[in-house]
Amino acid sequence: AQSVTQLGSHVSVSEGALVLLRCNYSSSVPPYLFWYVQYPNQGLQLLLKYTSAATLVKGINGFEAEFKKSETSFHLTKPSAHMSDAAEYFCAVTSDTGRRALTFGSGTRLQVQP
Amino acid sequence: DGGITQSPKYLFRKEGQNVTLSCEQNLNHDAMYWYRQDPGQGLRLIYYSQIVNDFQKGDIAEGYSVSREKKESFPLTVTSAQKNPTAFYLCASSIGASSGNTIYFGEGSWLTVV
């Protein structure tokens, strides 16, 4: 079975500060990893995904994530937070064996202080 | 525009009543999914379908039913057997069975028991 753990249900940063949202996964086979963002009352929008190509993945809105197999991590970062980054962020995992649907973490709500 | 349309956006269910949430996509995607979202619990998979006329249970299928008679449609019925149906429901789709494919989400439907 696959699973995702997101450390910190709430993260608060100042505008212009580094954003770091943590995600650790568990998978017995090579994983595909995703980060999604959700604004209030809306669906999820893909930020970026890892599919076994480059370990450093760049996404939309200046976000990036690095796949580290030794640490089973896929943390999301952004060098400088903007007020518009305030939202909920979800990490998700899947693979080519078994169920081919995303398993999500519990989410991290990002607050950006002016 | 291509996308995933969920309707209605808000729905109220009386005790003992079945309700159906609609999900239509015009992306020509083979795979479709239903997720339930509760505060602090992330998204949990209810049902998914990789191809027309076939679907599989997810993690929380009890009290729900689906059909996949057409490629573009994947309605979800919340039956009276679902004892706690109040939640945000998200429909999603992807181009095919490969787990590296991006899953796209609709805008969601709120279901409230009255």
Side-chain angles (χ1 to χ4, degrees):
Chain A
Q2 298 167 319
S3 65
V4 166
T5 302
Q6 291 185 241
L7 296 176
S9 59
H10 289 82
V11 170
S12 182
V13 301
S14 299
E15 191 173 19
L18 172 71
V19 175
L20 171 60
L21 305 182
R22 299 179 185 275
C23 172
N24 287 90
Y25 69 91
S26 173
S27 177
S28 59
V29 296
Y32 298 107
L33 294 158
F34 299 75
W35 275 100
Y36 282 86
V37 61
Q38 184 182 36
Y39 298 98
N41 274 347
Q42 294 186 21
L44 277 66
Q45 180 184 7
L46 180 71
L47 281 175
L48 49 81
K49 66 178 181 180
Y50 167 76
T51 58
S52 75
T55 56
L56 181 62
V57 182
K58 295 188 182 297
I60 63 171
N61 302 338
F63 285 94
E64 64 181 38
E66 185 171 9
F67 172 71
K68 292 187 177 181
K69 183 178 179 180
S70 61
E71 299 177 8
T72 60
S73 69
F74 191 56
H75 302 331
L76 182 70
T77 61
K78 182 174 180 178
S80 177
H82 191 273
M83 296 297 290
S84 61
D85 294 327
E88 188 146 23
Y89 293 80
F90 292 95
C91 183
V93 65
T94 187
S95 72
D96 279 334
T97 61
R99 186 174 79 186
R100 296 183 181 183
L102 290 174
T103 298
F104 284 86
S106 56
T108 297
R109 184 165 298 279
L110 176 66
Q111 287 184 310
V112 182
Q113 308 289 345
Chain B
D1 288 346
I4 302 168
T5 301
Q6 291 187 237
S7 63
K9 180 69 175 180
Y10 300 95
L11 185 60
F12 298 91
R13 192 194 91 167
K14 296 180 180 179
E15 295 286 346
Q17 189 179 46
N18 292 356
V19 294
T20 297
L21 305 179
S22 170
C23 178
E24 303 278 333
Q25 54 97 0
N26 60 5
L27 300 168
N28 200 32
H29 286 174
D30 286 312
M32 297 188 74
Y33 314 82
W34 274 105
Y35 285 89
R36 169 178 171 148
Q37 185 176 18
D38 296 279
Q41 294 191 44
L43 283 74
R44 293 181 289 169
L45 182 67
I46 305 173
Y47 270 97
Y48 65 108
S49 169
Q50 299 289 355
I51 198 168
V52 175
N53 292 322
D54 187 40
F55 49 83
Q56 290 79 41
K57 292 181 179 179
D59 298 318
I60 55 166
E62 185 175 353
Y64 299 97
S65 66
V66 293
S67 63
R68 187 82 189 279
E69 298 175 359
K70 298 187 296 183
K71 187 175 184 178
E72 60 270 23
S73 179
F74 192 41
L76 174 73
T77 297
V78 185
T79 74
S80 57
Q82 171 50 240
K83 298 307 179 187
N84 184 25
T86 296
F88 190 51
Y89 291 86
L90 287 157
C91 179
S93 70
S94 62
I95 193 166
S98 170
S99 293
N101 292 324
T102 298
I103 294 180
Y104 297 89
F105 285 81
E107 291 295 300
S109 293
W110 281 101
L111 174 61
T112 303
V113 174
V114 296

